[in-house]
């Protein structure tokens, strides 16, 4: 009788181990499949053009008072960018700063010449001013309108335009 109880106990332990091992494999496979799908989505997103919504009416007709080649504005904007933006957008504007880790969506690559050509000054000023913590943007980008002056925001935009020009 003792042998039968011992045998049943051993069978239960082995069954439990097998079930837990199989469940772990299934969970790991599901996690691997999910990671593969995310990786494919990331590759797909990187290859697609960026989709942007229209800037609100009060921003749509704004234009940068510095233009794209004001060297003093570029230098000032670079300093402001380094202090406030590079953590997420990266030192070269590639969206690869150390603060970008784990963000969803990832910060935009501000050095993307095609994207930057499509974005108006008003759109960029809106996004820098208001950030992205609202529908449909839903990003972690903070609003800078209460931190940076209007001049400083335009200087950052002037610098951003120079990043994408460096790619040409």
């Amino acid at each position: 009788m003792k042998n039968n109880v011992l045998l049943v106990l051993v069978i239960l332990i082995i069954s439990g181990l097998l079930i837990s091992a199989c469940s772990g494999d299934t969970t790991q496979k599901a996690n691997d499949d999910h990671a593969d799908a995310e990786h494919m989505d990331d590759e797909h997103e990187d290859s697609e053009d960026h989709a942007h919504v229209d800037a609100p009416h009060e921003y749509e007709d704004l234009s940068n008072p510095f233009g794209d080649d004001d060297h003093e504005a570029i230098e000032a904007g670079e300093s402001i960018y380094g202090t406030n933006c590079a953590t997420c957008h990266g030192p070269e504007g590639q969206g690869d700063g150390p603060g970008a880790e784990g963000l969803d969506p990832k910060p935009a690559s501000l050095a993307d010449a095609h994207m930057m050509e499509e974005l108006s000054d008003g759109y960029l000023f809106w996004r820098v001013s208001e950030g992205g913590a609202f529908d449909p943007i839903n990003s972690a980008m903070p609003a800078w309108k209460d931190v940076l002056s209007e001049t400083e925001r335009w200087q950052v935009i002037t610098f951003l335009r120079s990043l994408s020009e460096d790619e040409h």
Side-chain angles (χ1 to χ4, degrees):
M1 182 81 169
K2 265 186 160 178
N3 285 342
N4 287 342
V5 171
L6 185 59
L7 181 61
V8 169
L9 187 59
V10 168
I11 290 173
L12 286 174
I13 291 171
I14 291 173
S15 297
L17 290 172
L18 287 173
I19 289 171
S20 105
C22 289
S23 295
D25 288 347
T26 303
T27 303
Q28 185 60 43
K29 175 143 177 43
N31 287 339
D32 290 345
D33 290 346
H34 181 69
D36 288 345
E38 283 182 2
H39 181 67
M40 288 189 323
D41 287 345
D42 288 346
E43 288 177 347
H44 184 65
E45 285 175 16
D46 290 343
S47 66
E48 283 187 353
D49 290 339
H50 300 276
H52 299 277
V53 298
D54 292 333
H57 181 67
E58 63 267 24
Y59 289 97
E60 67 187 2
D61 293 328
L62 297 179
S63 62
N64 189 342
F66 294 109
D68 290 343
D69 57 356
D70 184 316
H71 298 291
E72 289 179 20
I74 291 170
E75 287 179 20
E78 181 175 18
S79 176
I80 296 164
Y81 176 90
T83 301
N84 298 292
C85 312
T87 300
C88 293
H89 288 282
E92 304 297 320
Q94 300 289 327
D96 59 353
E101 187 78 22
L103 291 181
D104 183 20
K106 296 287 185 199
S109 172
L110 303 170
D112 179 337
H114 178 71
M115 178 187 77
M116 292 302 285
E117 285 174 12
E118 290 182 353
L119 300 179
S120 70
D121 288 342
Y123 179 90
L124 292 172
F125 191 79
W126 168 55
R127 289 302 310 282
V128 170
S129 297
E130 303 294 338
F134 53 87
D135 284 333
I137 308 296
N138 299 315
S139 75
M141 183 168 160
W144 293 101
K145 68 181 177 186
D146 295 330
V147 178
L148 302 175
S149 70
E150 182 175 330
T151 297
E152 290 171 321
R153 286 177 274 157
W154 283 121
Q155 289 168 331
V156 168
I157 291 165
T158 305
F159 171 68
L160 297 180
R161 295 280 192 205
S162 77
L163 286 175
S164 62
E165 289 173 1
D166 291 344
E167 282 196 347
H168 290 304

